[in-house]
Amino acid sequence: MSVSYQAVGWNRTKKLYDAILVAGLLVYLGLFVGFGSVVHPNATAETLLIRGLGTAALLLLHIILCIGPLCRLDRRFLPLLYNRRHLGVTMFVLALAHGTFSIVQFHALGNVNPLLSLFVSNTRYTSLPDFPFQALGFLALLILFLMAATSHDFWLHNLTAPVWKRLHMMVYAAYGLLVAHVTLGALQSETSPLLAGLLCVGLTVVTALHIVSAIAERNRDVARCPEADGYVAVGEVGQIPEKRACVVSCGGERVAIFRYDGKISAISNVCQHQNGPLGEGKIVDGCITCPWHGYQYLPDSGASPPPFTEKVPTYRTLVVGTQVYVHPSPLPPGTRVEPSPIVAESKVVNHAQRV
Ligand code: HEM
Ligand code: FES
């Protein structure tokens, strides 16, 4: 990390982002309860609030799931990615309120512990139309809790970025459980066909965006045919501004290729701090500086300058004339690779360490 490390505070953009989020949610809940009381005059305010909170949480979850693939398809969505954690925690709070109110409303009046009642009041686990769908919502809520509780930097640092990332991939399991929770719940009640239709649209959009962005990324990979020794051509030297990087998808991973002082070096695009996009940072005082919170890495070794200990994987590079090549196999974090000098001649000028 950087000597001048400074956590990103509540800057103006973040405050604006959160203000829009809270205002949007309040408007949504107000409209939901207002229209709901007209369309369903017999529904109680508690029921409308439970439904409003549940649908708001699910809507936010769809937005969260779409942000990743949208950013891979178009960089203009990146500001949303930077603030995605706030969306995630807000979504969990809404889901928790929905789940808690539901348990109070449907399970707190008997003589069985409400949490136990959630699982034993309906045990028709083998029936599709009567399936105890609330248990699925509870399991999803547990996953969302794990994610919200570990979203703080403390956990990212202690669990390490790969474990943290794997844990947060469980969001897809939570999403699957919630699709089942709502679908099976709707089978048991008079829930409007509008909800079922919107859920179908949401599922289709989330799935389609993931498939399209994966295909686009793979096509970019394929376009770069492996050449000498398995190196992959990734673009022209002139496409990389001085002290900046271009980011390519290589062997399924994002690699940041930096140009500086007449040389080329490549490291993983993923910052060890919070998975920030290193390729969007620049070289400051000889170090690649993460645009999110300023962690720094030496371009040739991917290691943070002493006394810091963070390390990211490095990649071997080649410059042939004006063409830049990267070897798609990452080297262990912190492995030094000789930078490739940029020269005008169109012959192989470097070599990086060939392993
Ligand atoms: C302890 C966990 C949960 C319980 C006990 C629970 C309970 C319920 C109940 C009883 C309903 C039917 C409400 C009605 O039709 O009046 C419902 C519907 C719903 N739940 Fe949950 N739920 C839980 C978790 C979640 C989570 C985590 C989400 C989303 C993030 C969620 C989203 C929804 C949605 C979108 C509906 C449909 C709303 C509607 O009928 O209009 N639920 N849930
Ligand atoms: S410094 Fe925080 S993500 Fe890179």
Side-chain angles (χ1 to χ4, degrees):
M1 72 186 260
S2 157
V3 177
S4 55
Y5 167 74
Q6 238 194 344
V8 165
W10 293 93
N11 59 34
R12 196 177 162 276
T13 321
K14 276 184 177 284
K15 281 184 190 157
L16 185 70
Y17 184 92
D18 288 347
I20 292 174
L21 177 61
V22 172
L25 284 173
L26 289 177
V27 169
Y28 175 85
L29 288 175
L31 288 176
F32 191 97
V33 175
F35 277 117
S37 56
V38 175
V39 179
H40 300 289
N42 296 330
T44 63
E46 290 86 351
T47 301
L48 290 174
L49 193 59
I50 286 174
R51 290 179 177 179
L53 289 165
T55 51
L58 197 59
L59 183 66
L60 265 191
L61 182 57
H62 277 89
I63 295 173
I64 290 165
L65 290 176
C66 289
I67 289 176
L70 280 175
C71 290
R72 284 198 283 278
L73 290 169
D74 191 329
R75 293 165 61 85
R76 279 172 297 180
F77 289 101
L78 279 172
L80 291 177
L81 189 71
Y82 301 154
N83 292 293
R84 193 165 53 165
R85 254 198 320 175
H86 288 197
L87 279 186
V89 175
T90 309
M91 184 262 295
F92 167 69
V93 172
L94 290 167
L96 181 66
H98 162 86
T100 309
F101 288 157
S102 299
I103 291 175
V104 170
Q105 169 130 336
F106 299 108
H107 299 279
L109 298 177
N111 52 3
V112 179
N113 177 308
L115 272 185
L116 188 61
S117 157
L118 186 69
F119 292 95
V120 299
S121 60
N122 171 6
T123 50
R124 277 160 286 176
Y125 286 93
T126 49
S127 156
L128 203 56
D130 295 325
F131 193 89
F133 69 97
Q134 295 184 44
L136 300 176
F138 184 82
L139 291 180
L141 193 60
L142 275 187
I143 296 178
L144 299 181
F145 165 72
L146 266 184
M147 291 172 52
T150 57
S151 68
H152 193 273
D153 287 0
F154 171 84
W155 288 106
L156 184 73
H157 191 76
N158 281 286
L159 294 172
T160 73
V163 174
W164 190 83
K165 192 173 175 188
R166 249 174 265 142
L167 182 75
H168 283 245
M169 282 293 135
M170 283 168 65
V171 70
Y172 291 102
Y175 181 57
L177 286 166
L178 287 171
V179 170
H181 170 70
V182 177
T183 312
L184 295 173
L187 285 180
Q188 297 172 22
S189 67
E190 40 39 275
T191 320
S192 81
L194 184 69
L195 177 69
L198 287 176
L199 187 64
C200 265
V201 171
L203 186 60
T204 311
V205 169
V206 168
T207 313
L209 272 177
H210 278 77
I211 293 174
V212 169
S213 70
I215 291 175
E217 206 146 62
R218 218 199 1 233
N219 286 347
R220 284 199 289 265
D221 271 358
V222 170
R224 300 185 199 102
C225 314
E227 300 191 18
D229 295 339
Y231 281 78
V232 175
V234 289
E236 296 281 319
V237 167
Q239 292 171 325
I240 313 175
E242 177 64 14
K243 303 240 187 295
R244 294 270 184 184
C246 71
V247 179
V248 297
S249 167
C250 215
E253 291 295 329
R254 256 169 241 134
V255 181
I257 302 162
F258 277 89
R259 173 187 184 160
Y260 58 105
D261 306 331
K263 297 176 280 186
I264 292 284
S265 285
I267 67 170
S268 159
N269 190 45
V270 183
C271 179
Q272 276 295 290
H273 178 218
Q274 273 180 21
N275 296 346
L278 291 176
E280 285 167 40
K282 59 180 174 183
I283 296 191
V284 179
D285 298 333
C287 290
I288 293 166
T289 306
C290 179
W292 283 11
H293 316 94
Y295 273 45
Q296 290 190 309
Y297 304 88
L298 294 163
D300 56 348
S301 67
S304 295
F308 304 108
T309 53
E310 284 76 17
K311 288 176 191 153
V312 293
T314 49
Y315 289 82
R316 288 160 284 163
T317 58
L318 279 176
V319 177
V320 182
T322 55
Q323 182 69 58
V324 181
Y325 292 82
V326 169
H327 198 288
S329 314
L331 298 174
T335 307
R336 185 173 186 280
V337 174
E338 187 63 29
S340 300
I342 302 167
V343 291
E345 298 94 67
S346 56
K347 59 190 178 74
V348 176
V349 291
N350 188 20
H351 30 47
Q353 300 165 347
R354 297 199 184 177
V355 178

